[in-house]
């Protein structure tokens, strides 16, 4: 089954005739001329689709038809075929040369038209840019005019201020002269007062030196006296410290003696308690004897008890009596 053509023969024929018309040769008289104007590649590029084999067959048929028609139109009656062929070749060369010149002129004309169009467009752009620049320049000029007016007004105001400042300077110079004169007079008075103060200061300085020397002598005398008193006070303080040490030593000895006496008293109390217990035991033992013997034995015991009550602490040690 044959593959259907993507482009119809009518479309191919119309496209080929259009390409020949654009080249200025609707009825080429030779195959070479036809192939220079129309080819399979150009036709396929012009159509945008199509099978190259199908396009080649259709193009061959159209070529044969158009070239034969061109030769028929060029035929000259009563001319030998050789001369007719030479005349046809000459005519084809002339036509080809003329067509090449026409194509070249067309291209040059198109290039000139394009250049003129581009130049015109560039000129329009330049004119537009110049208009914009002119507008900017006018705006700048107006702004400068306004600034110039402001500057002129400021200059006039400055001139007025300068005139006022000149008057003020004149007044200030007069005041400065008066102030300088007053300052000179004040300087002279200050110099005189300073000389008087210096004289008074010198006198006071001498007086202060004398008073200082007197105070220094008095201070030295008082210092010597105080140093002597301090030495005597130090001696008295040393004696008092020695007395305090001796008293502290005696107090410590008395405390030791009291502690010793308390220990002896405790020992005597213990001995007395033992004697009482012994007396109690003796009393119990003698209750069974005759009353006479009891009375005889009770008398010495009573005497001993009476003596014990009279001197409960017993005989004092010699060291205790000596300490007291």
């Amino acid at each position: 089954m044959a593959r259907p053509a993507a482009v119809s023969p009518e479309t191919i024929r119309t496209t080929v005739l259009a390409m020949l018309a654009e080249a200025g040769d609707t009825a080429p008289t030779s195959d070479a001329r036809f192939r220079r104007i129309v080819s399979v590649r150009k036709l396929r590029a012009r159509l945008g689709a199509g099978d190259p084999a199908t396009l080649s067959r259709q193009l061959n048929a159209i070529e044969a038809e158009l070239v034969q028609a061109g030769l028929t139109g060029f035929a000259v009656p009563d001319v030998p075929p050789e001369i007719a062929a030479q005349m046809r070749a000459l005519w084809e060369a002339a036509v080809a040369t003329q067509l090449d010149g026409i194509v070249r002129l067309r291209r040059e004309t198109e290039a000139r038209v394009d250049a003129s169009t581009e130049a015109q467009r560039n000129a329009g752009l330049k004119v537009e840019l110049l208009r914009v620049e002119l507008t900017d320049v006018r705006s700048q000029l107006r702004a400068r005019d306004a600034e110039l007016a402001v500057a002129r007004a400021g200059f006039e105001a400055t001139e007025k201020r300068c005139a006022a400042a000149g008057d003020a300077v004149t007044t200030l110079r007069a005041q400065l002269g008066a102030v300088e004169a007053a300052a000179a007079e004040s300087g002279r008075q200050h110099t005189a007062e300073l000389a008087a103060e210096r004289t008074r200061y010198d006198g006071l300085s001498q007086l202060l030196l004398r008073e200082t020397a007197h105070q220094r002598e008095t201070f030295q005398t008082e210092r010597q006296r105080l140093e002597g008193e301090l030495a005597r006070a130090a001696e008295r303080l040393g004696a008092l410290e020695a007395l305090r040490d001796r008293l502290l030593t005696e107090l410590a000895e008395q405390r030791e003696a009291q502690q010793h006496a308390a220990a002896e008293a405790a020992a005597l109390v213990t001995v007395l308690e033992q004697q009482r217990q012994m007396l109690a035991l003796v009393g119990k033992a003698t209750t069974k004897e005759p009353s006479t013997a009891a009375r005889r034995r009770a008398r010495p015991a009573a005497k001993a008890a009476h003596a014990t009550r009279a001197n409960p602490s017993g005989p004092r040690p010699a060291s205790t009596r000596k300490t007291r």
Side-chain angles (χ1 to χ4, degrees):
M1 183 176 180
R3 183 178 179 182
V7 183
S8 63
E10 291 78 7
T11 304
I12 296 173
R13 184 179 182 83
T14 303
T15 304
V16 170
L17 293 177
M19 293 174 69
L20 291 173
E22 291 176 358
D25 190 3
T26 57
T29 58
S30 64
D31 298 338
R33 177 64 182 169
F34 183 84
R35 289 297 180 180
R36 280 200 303 269
I37 298 173
V38 182
S39 64
V40 177
R41 181 178 59 80
K42 293 180 181 180
L43 181 60
R44 192 169 185 274
R46 185 70 174 267
L47 294 173
D51 185 13
T54 304
L55 294 177
S56 179
R57 288 194 300 271
Q58 294 291 334
L59 192 58
N60 290 332
I62 295 171
E63 178 185 355
E65 180 183 353
L66 293 178
V67 170
Q68 185 64 31
L71 292 175
T72 301
F74 184 75
V76 180
D78 299 332
V79 176
E82 294 81 2
I83 296 174
Q86 292 178 2
M87 291 177 65
R88 186 170 57 253
L90 181 61
W91 180 79
E92 289 178 358
V95 170
T97 303
Q98 188 67 25
L99 289 176
D100 292 338
I102 291 171
V103 171
R104 185 174 64 256
L105 290 174
R106 179 182 292 178
R107 290 177 180 174
E108 291 178 357
T109 304
E110 290 177 355
R112 290 178 181 178
V113 169
D114 294 338
S116 300
T117 304
E118 184 68 21
Q120 184 178 2
R121 188 173 65 84
N122 293 333
L125 293 175
K126 289 181 180 179
V127 169
E128 189 66 25
L129 290 174
L130 290 174
R131 287 178 181 175
V132 174
E133 290 179 358
L134 181 60
T135 304
D136 295 338
V137 170
R138 287 178 179 175
S139 301
Q140 293 176 2
L141 288 176
R142 286 194 295 270
R144 288 182 181 179
D145 291 338
E147 292 177 357
L148 182 59
V150 173
R152 286 179 179 175
F155 179 72
E156 293 176 356
T158 304
E159 285 183 347
K160 293 180 181 179
R161 288 198 298 271
C162 287
D167 297 337
V169 167
T170 303
T171 305
L172 290 174
R173 283 179 179 175
Q175 294 178 0
L176 180 61
V179 170
E180 287 178 351
E185 182 64 24
S186 177
R188 288 192 295 272
Q189 292 179 1
H190 179 70
T191 303
E193 292 176 357
L194 182 62
E197 289 294 330
R198 185 175 296 279
T199 303
R200 189 170 65 86
Y201 173 77
D202 293 337
L204 291 175
S205 177
Q206 295 295 330
L207 180 61
L208 180 61
L209 290 174
R210 288 194 296 272
E211 290 292 334
T212 303
H214 179 68
Q215 291 291 336
R216 188 180 292 109
E217 293 176 358
T218 304
F219 175 74
Q220 291 293 337
T221 304
E222 187 67 20
R223 181 177 180 180
Q224 292 175 0
R225 185 180 65 79
L226 291 175
E227 287 178 354
E229 291 182 358
L230 286 174
R232 290 191 295 273
E235 292 176 357
R236 289 195 298 271
L237 181 61
L240 291 174
E241 288 180 353
L243 179 61
R244 185 193 64 180
D245 294 338
R246 184 172 60 80
L247 292 175
L248 289 175
T249 303
E250 291 179 358
L251 180 61
E253 292 177 355
Q254 289 180 2
R255 286 179 180 176
E256 290 179 358
Q258 289 179 0
Q259 291 176 359
H260 185 68
E264 290 181 353
L268 290 175
V269 170
T270 303
V271 172
L272 180 60
E273 185 65 26
Q274 291 177 358
Q275 289 179 0
R276 286 180 180 177
Q277 292 177 0
M278 290 177 63
L279 288 174
L281 292 174
V282 171
K284 289 180 180 180
T286 56
T287 52
K288 296 179 181 180
E289 295 180 356
S291 58
T292 305
R295 284 194 297 270
R296 291 177 182 176
R297 294 177 181 176
R299 289 177 182 174
K303 291 180 180 180
H306 185 271
T308 303
R309 292 191 187 96
N311 190 8
S313 59
R316 295 179 180 177
S319 61
T320 304
R321 287 195 301 271
K322 184 177 180 181
T323 303
R324 291 181 181 177

